[in-house]
Amino acid sequence: QEQLVESGGGVVPPGKLLTLSCGASGFTFSSRAMHWVRQAPGKGLEWVAVISHDGREKYYADSVKGRVTISRDNSKNILYLQINSLRGEDTAVYYCARDRYSYGWGGGDAWGLGTLVTVSS
Amino acid sequence: QSALTQPPSASGSPTQSVTISCTGTSSDIGYYNYVSWYQQHPGKAPKLIISDVTRRPSGVPDRFSGSKSGNTASLTVSGLQADDEADYYCSSYAGNNNLVFGGGTKLTVL
């Protein structure tokens, strides 16, 4: 069955770098755009970034632009999110989500369970 | 990019209908038909229940329906059931390669 599994979260000191991964299975990973969406504790959903099916187009929320890099390896069916210079406000559950379309904006029709990132010294 | 505006809470009794609004601007909801709605139960991942304003994914009951008028999108849940109690989020493409979410609405089934 279709599955997305995030990993890489944990407790990280402020200012450090963290890379999250999202492994995909059960569908043709290379045909869909992929998103990262985060949710701070007790708060709503916040879109972070999207990458097109072929990895050529990448777009970021203004709140993370310049500190975050989204990438994908279609040969391994893995999506990545690198976050630099971690701040307290980056503390959240990070979800990867599959878009209905190859270039994004169609809605996330499959989601992982999320991985918790806690920025703390 | 500003978040979309949703009422923080909504409620209804079993079998009743409830409508949740999602207000944006002429640059997002008012311009694009890329409005989605998600249901999120506590401690769970979001689930897509409406895409492209009105499209219902396979497996989503037809008790859930979406619509749009001007800069406001709406989600209607008919025949409320206990399991419909959850948080609901709208999202919209906002142009310039940006996606925005609403702040979420907590639906209580009385």
Side-chain angles (χ1 to χ4, degrees):
Chain A
Q1 72 280 21
E2 302 171 342
Q3 192 172 21
L4 295 170
V5 180
E6 302 92 340
S7 60
V11 179
V12 188
K16 295 296 185 181
L17 176 151
L18 184 70
T19 299
L20 305 179
S21 301
C22 170
S25 60
F27 66 98
T28 305
F29 180 69
S30 61
S31 69
R32 302 288 196 98
M34 296 294 297
H35 299 262
W36 285 100
V37 176
R38 68 184 181 182
Q39 186 170 34
K43 302 297 184 181
L45 301 174
E46 179 187 17
W47 176 72
V48 175
V50 65
I51 186 169
S52 61
H53 71 104
D54 55 5
R56 292 183 180 183
E57 297 186 38
K58 307 173 185 182
Y59 302 107
Y60 303 94
D62 289 343
S63 60
V64 299
K65 201 172 292 183
R67 291 195 303 122
V68 164
T69 302
I70 188 171
S71 61
R72 65 191 298 162
D73 185 335
N74 284 345
S75 68
K76 297 181 179 178
N77 290 350
I78 301 177
L79 174 73
Y80 300 99
L81 184 73
Q82 183 178 82
I83 313 172
N84 298 302
S85 304
L86 279 160
R87 307 166 177 170
E89 54 262 40
D90 294 321
T91 294
V93 174
Y94 286 74
Y95 295 101
C96 64
R98 181 187 73 181
D99 199 274
R100 294 177 54 244
Y101 301 139
S102 60
Y103 281 92
W105 321 129
D109 65 353
W111 293 64
L113 297 180
T115 186
L116 175 62
V117 173
T118 302
V119 182
S120 174
S121 54
Chain B
Q1 192 67 39
S2 300
L4 307 174
T5 300
Q6 297 181 235
S9 63
S11 62
S13 300
T15 76
Q16 287 186 333
S17 295
V18 64
T19 297
I20 298 171
S21 63
C22 172
T23 302
T25 69
S26 57
S27 298
D28 40 62
I29 292 177
Y31 193 86
Y32 299 99
N33 286 324
Y34 289 130
V35 177
S36 298
W37 288 91
Y38 299 90
Q39 177 191 63
Q40 186 180 34
H41 286 108
K44 303 294 186 181
K47 174 188 174 183
L48 181 68
I49 55 174
I50 295 290
S51 65
D52 300 341
V53 180
T54 61
R55 182 186 298 269
R56 201 170 44 249
S58 174
V60 175
D62 59 7
R63 301 184 297 102
F64 293 89
S65 62
S67 63
K68 186 181 84 167
S69 177
N71 299 337
T72 299
S74 298
L75 171 72
T76 298
V77 187
S78 306
L80 274 172
Q81 300 179 0
D83 190 53
D84 296 335
E85 186 160 295
D87 293 326
Y88 291 83
Y89 295 91
C90 60
S91 73
S92 174
Y93 179 60
N96 294 320
N97 301 304
N98 266 295
L99 187 75
V100 289
F101 279 95
T105 298
K106 181 177 181 61
L107 175 60
T108 301
V109 180
L110 303 170

